[in-house]
Amino acid sequence: MTAKPKDLIAVLEAMEDVVERQLTAPDALLSELATLLLGFPRDSVQRPRVHRMLGVVYSRLDREADAIKELREARALAASLSPPNYGELGNIARALSALYAARGEDRLAAGELIAAWTFTSIGGSRDDVVKLIADVGHGELDARRFENGALLFDFLLKGNDTLKVPEHAAQSARIGLIQALNALGRHDEIRHHVKETHATLKEEHRRLRFLTQLEAARAAAGLGRHDEAEGALLVAENFLPEDGTAPEHAAFVEAVTEFQEVRAGESAIESLEHLAAQYTEQNQPERIVVACRALASAQRKRGATANALEALGRALHAAMRAKLDVAGELRTELLRRAGSERLVDLAGTKSLIGQNEERDRRFVKLKALGRGSAGESALAVDVASGDLVSLRTLDLGGLPPGHREAALSKQRRAYTTAATLGDPRLAKVRDMRLAEDGMLYTVQSRPAGPTLRDLHAAGADPLRMLDLLALTAGALGVLHARELAHRDLSPEHVVVPRDDQGRERPILVDLGLAPVAGVNGFSGTPPYVAPEQVANEASDARADIHALGQMIAEIWGGRVPTRANLGRLWKRDAEDGMPRAIGELVRSMVAADPERRMTDLNEAAQVLRAQRENAD
């Protein structure tokens, strides 16, 4: 092997410290690392180290393909040495574990972490061991295993003198220990560690000083020392970075709302939701990002994973629309928090409705929306745009070949037609993709706004609901005119955003369109589903009429009525009873026999509007 001058090795050591501690912006490091790489021949024991650092920097720049390429090159070079550089192989595996975790591929991340432990135990230095223990400790905090995190950070601080933990690593470990103790409610143990941190941190360590003050405030609040907590928050505010979208701002907002919750009983979640809604209405994307990030963290601490992911999705959407630099960081956080169980990657699937543009086709599932013979549906976040979407999946792999082709053709015709409608009252069909295993994916837009269910539950006036249901009938008419049916109409599948003039405009979402016999059971959501759907018989647009009739009846009864008590809702002597004209309309819409069911949606909309006008 060719020996290198000592000054080049010294540069490499300094660069290692810069990369590890993130002392310089990652984009400024690329050219320096590329130049440094030229100084080492391919058989040099140091060359894998430079490739690994390049991979880490690319990962921080959200250039995943380049990062994986560099890390794999580093691994191949380190393994080809004689003997293999086991310590560096451990560092490479640690970097790959972090990258896979950031992509939501937690199984790959866990496998690399095991490899990192193995290689580091064989040939790693003391610094390598320290870094690995710290990584696992922070992973335990993220996983809410705070007792494990506390033990690991405490070990780094005092458990093994032979490690000789560097000062900067000890400072970071002490912050991690304080965070774990606070999460465990052991606030009285924190004061000593805060004093130790203040004694060792320098003025330039602004981020660590900020985190220390934040945790000191949490501990004081937990012990009922409110004045002390408020003072710590005021000190922490002085260390906030100038970048208004930096994660420290979200952490500060979260800590302030937590303090308000302890002192005044104001719900931190409700305060943050109100703040996010306020900034959204004011169209302030930087502040939306901060508020939603804080909301996501607060939801995560309460175990509300789906709500936390949705908040991160809102932050990503705001950042993407405003072209904020923080978008890549938010995307990485969203994927890392989601994990593989909620991640859907459609990169290897085939588009069936002509949308073949190159883009990131990853989605994070938030919550299930329902299932039926048109497939299972979930609310999801489009990682590329931050948009909320309805992701419908239908497994055709188990069907006989002839049946599968017929079902696929039926699905494709229905959704291709829907994709060309271009009506603002219908959720846009964005894509339909087929995987090699026969799984069919349909992606539909999911506009922001309350659903009819949300409005009804909040006590919306029946007359207001009449207007919205009349508009819903008009939207259904667009589908029916093209010989399509929604087939899963319910109050949850009508979203009510406001247009530029502030008017409410219902949009039909999560279109079921084309059921497949023998898949998942009947299409539709009980109790709105029509009798013929429950019986797995052929259904058409008249099933939507039945669902709409049930929804109209529900706004007076408070719940979907059974057939036995349906008539009671429009008796004249009933308090807040259904008007007779509406009652007769409902009865004609929910007839058990679809042949006897009314089908004229224009007539239904006219009856609803007439009742609204009579009330005025």
Side-chain angles (χ1 to χ4, degrees):
M1 297 183 185
T2 305
K4 301 308 299 179
K6 290 184 178 180
D7 58 345
L8 194 57
I9 301 297
V11 171
L12 181 61
E13 293 291 342
M15 186 64 70
E16 179 82 58
D17 190 53
V18 169
V19 172
E20 183 70 31
R21 297 171 61 186
Q22 301 186 45
L23 300 177
T24 303
D27 52 352
L29 293 174
L30 286 180
S31 60
E32 294 184 46
L33 285 169
T35 301
L36 187 60
L37 188 65
L38 296 175
F40 295 103
R42 187 169 179 80
D43 62 349
S44 168
V45 71
Q46 304 297 343
R47 192 175 177 90
R49 195 174 172 188
V50 184
H51 280 290
R52 187 248 306 162
M53 285 190 280
L54 274 168
V56 170
V57 172
Y58 277 129
S59 179
R60 290 173 185 164
L61 289 169
D62 204 28
R63 292 171 57 177
E64 295 177 357
D66 291 324
I68 290 175
K69 178 182 177 182
E70 292 294 338
L71 290 171
R72 287 177 176 170
E73 176 71 8
R75 172 171 282 174
L77 290 175
S80 67
L81 295 172
S82 182
N85 188 338
Y86 291 108
E88 186 56 37
L89 284 169
N91 289 331
I92 294 164
R94 185 167 64 92
L96 279 167
S97 178
L99 188 151
Y100 287 134
R103 292 176 57 174
E105 298 176 359
D106 43 9
R107 291 185 180 179
L108 291 174
E112 291 292 350
L113 193 59
I114 292 172
W117 272 115
T118 304
F119 289 132
T120 301
S121 66
I122 295 173
S125 67
R126 289 181 303 189
D127 282 352
D128 294 336
V129 173
V130 168
K131 293 171 185 176
L132 194 52
I133 293 173
D135 278 358
V136 175
H138 288 295
E140 292 298 282
L141 293 189
D142 282 343
R144 300 177 57 80
R145 293 187 288 266
F146 303 116
E147 193 70 55
N148 288 349
L151 289 170
L152 289 170
F153 289 126
D154 191 56
F155 173 78
L156 287 178
L157 290 172
K158 62 183 182 182
N160 191 342
D161 292 337
T162 62
L163 284 180
K164 301 186 183 302
V165 178
E167 184 58 34
H168 69 86
Q171 292 164 348
S172 179
R174 187 170 284 109
I175 298 296
L177 177 59
I178 293 172
Q179 290 173 331
L181 293 175
N182 257 339
L184 291 167
R186 292 158 57 180
H187 308 301
D188 56 332
E189 301 178 36
I190 288 174
R191 184 182 292 269
H192 163 72
H193 293 291
V194 170
K195 287 183 178 179
E196 286 287 329
T197 304
H198 285 319
T200 56
L201 287 178
K202 299 178 181 178
E203 183 65 29
E204 61 266 25
H205 298 149
R206 296 183 62 84
R207 182 174 181 276
L208 293 179
R209 292 173 71 87
F210 167 78
L211 292 175
T212 301
Q213 290 296 334
L214 222 56
E215 295 303 322
R218 287 193 169 101
L223 294 171
R225 296 197 282 262
H226 295 163
D227 289 345
E228 184 178 329
E230 188 170 1
L233 286 173
L234 289 173
V235 174
E237 190 173 13
N238 294 325
F239 294 106
L240 285 171
E242 293 183 5
D243 178 6
T245 61
E248 288 85 350
H249 286 269
F252 181 75
V253 170
E254 181 190 2
V256 169
T257 54
E258 286 176 359
F259 178 54
Q260 291 172 343
E261 187 173 46
V262 171
R263 184 176 61 177
E266 300 175 7
S267 168
I269 296 291
E270 291 181 5
S271 296
L272 290 168
E273 286 177 340
H274 176 75
L275 200 62
Q278 179 182 344
Y279 291 150
T280 300
E281 186 176 344
Q282 296 170 353
N283 192 26
Q284 300 187 59
E286 293 89 352
R287 294 187 177 183
I288 294 172
V289 167
V290 169
C292 285
R293 252 185 161 173
L295 176 59
S297 179
Q299 294 280 20
R300 192 171 60 253
K301 288 178 180 177
R302 287 158 175 79
T305 302
N307 292 339
L309 294 175
E310 185 174 355
L312 281 176
R314 289 161 61 187
L316 176 60
H317 181 60
M320 293 291 294
R321 291 187 63 185
K323 299 181 180 179
L324 302 179
D325 292 339
V326 74
E329 184 180 323
L330 287 167
R331 183 184 295 109
T332 297
E333 184 177 359
L334 180 67
L335 289 169
R336 180 167 59 89
R337 298 294 181 190
S340 58
E341 291 184 0
R342 293 175 179 266
L343 179 65
V344 177
D345 191 342
L346 304 187
T349 57
K350 176 184 178 182
S351 179
L352 299 180
I353 57 176
Q355 299 189 19
N356 291 305
E357 72 275 13
E358 287 300 319
R359 57 187 294 274
D360 191 346
R361 297 191 181 93
R362 287 181 294 176
F363 301 86
V364 171
K365 291 183 180 179
L366 302 180
K367 62 182 178 182
L369 294 175
R371 66 167 60 194
S373 61
E376 297 183 6
S377 182
L379 182 67
V381 177
D382 184 337
V383 174
S385 64
D387 292 339
L388 287 178
V389 299
S390 167
L391 182 65
R392 187 176 287 274
T393 58
L394 183 65
D395 188 0
L396 302 177
L399 298 177
H403 191 180
R404 184 190 313 162
E405 290 303 317
L408 182 59
S409 178
K410 184 178 182 181
Q411 293 284 324
R412 184 175 184 176
R413 285 196 306 270
Y415 283 99
T416 299
T417 300
T420 62
L421 290 176
D423 193 291
R425 293 170 290 183
L426 306 174
K428 180 177 176 56
V429 176
R430 296 170 53 165
D431 207 353
M432 172 177 273
R433 307 192 72 83
L434 181 66
E436 291 184 359
D437 61 0
M439 187 67 74
L440 186 67
Y441 298 88
T442 307
V443 184
Q444 302 174 38
S445 62
R446 179 82 180 195
T451 64
L452 283 182
R453 170 71 69 212
D454 296 331
L455 295 176
H456 185 222
D461 183 85
L463 296 179
R464 175 187 175 192
M465 298 293 290
L466 281 179
D467 283 338
L468 296 176
L469 288 167
L471 292 169
T472 301
L476 276 177
V478 175
L479 279 178
H480 294 180
R482 295 295 294 272
E483 299 183 348
L484 294 174
H486 187 293
R487 285 193 171 87
D488 197 6
L489 184 66
S490 70
E492 288 79 9
H493 293 159
V494 182
V495 175
V496 189
R498 292 184 180 273
D499 62 17
D500 294 339
Q501 285 73 45
R503 296 170 298 191
E504 293 179 314
R505 289 289 183 261
I507 298 175
L508 302 184
V509 301
D510 204 23
L511 312 179
L513 296 185
V516 176
V519 177
N520 288 333
F522 61 78
S523 177
T525 303
Y528 309 96
V529 61
E532 63 269 25
Q533 292 174 288
V534 175
N536 282 320
E537 298 174 353
S539 63
D540 53 27
R542 290 172 294 186
D544 294 343
I545 302 289
H546 180 279
L548 183 61
Q550 291 279 33
M551 290 161 61
I552 295 170
E554 187 176 3
I555 68 172
W556 273 276
R559 58 185 176 82
V560 176
T562 63
R563 306 200 67 76
N565 66 18
L566 182 59
R568 300 176 189 171
L569 291 178
W570 63 79
K571 287 189 175 180
R572 292 183 181 278
D573 57 352
E575 183 179 354
D576 296 326
M578 184 190 301
R580 182 167 293 275
I582 301 297
E584 294 298 337
L585 172 65
V586 168
R587 185 158 54 184
S588 67
M589 295 176 76
V590 300
D593 183 356
E595 296 294 335
R596 301 180 61 185
R597 212 173 287 158
M598 71 94 70
T599 58
D600 191 339
L601 284 169
N602 287 329
E603 179 185 343
Q606 289 173 6
V607 172
L608 296 172
R609 291 194 182 97
Q611 182 61 41
R612 180 69 172 89
E613 292 169 0
N614 290 338
D616 291 339

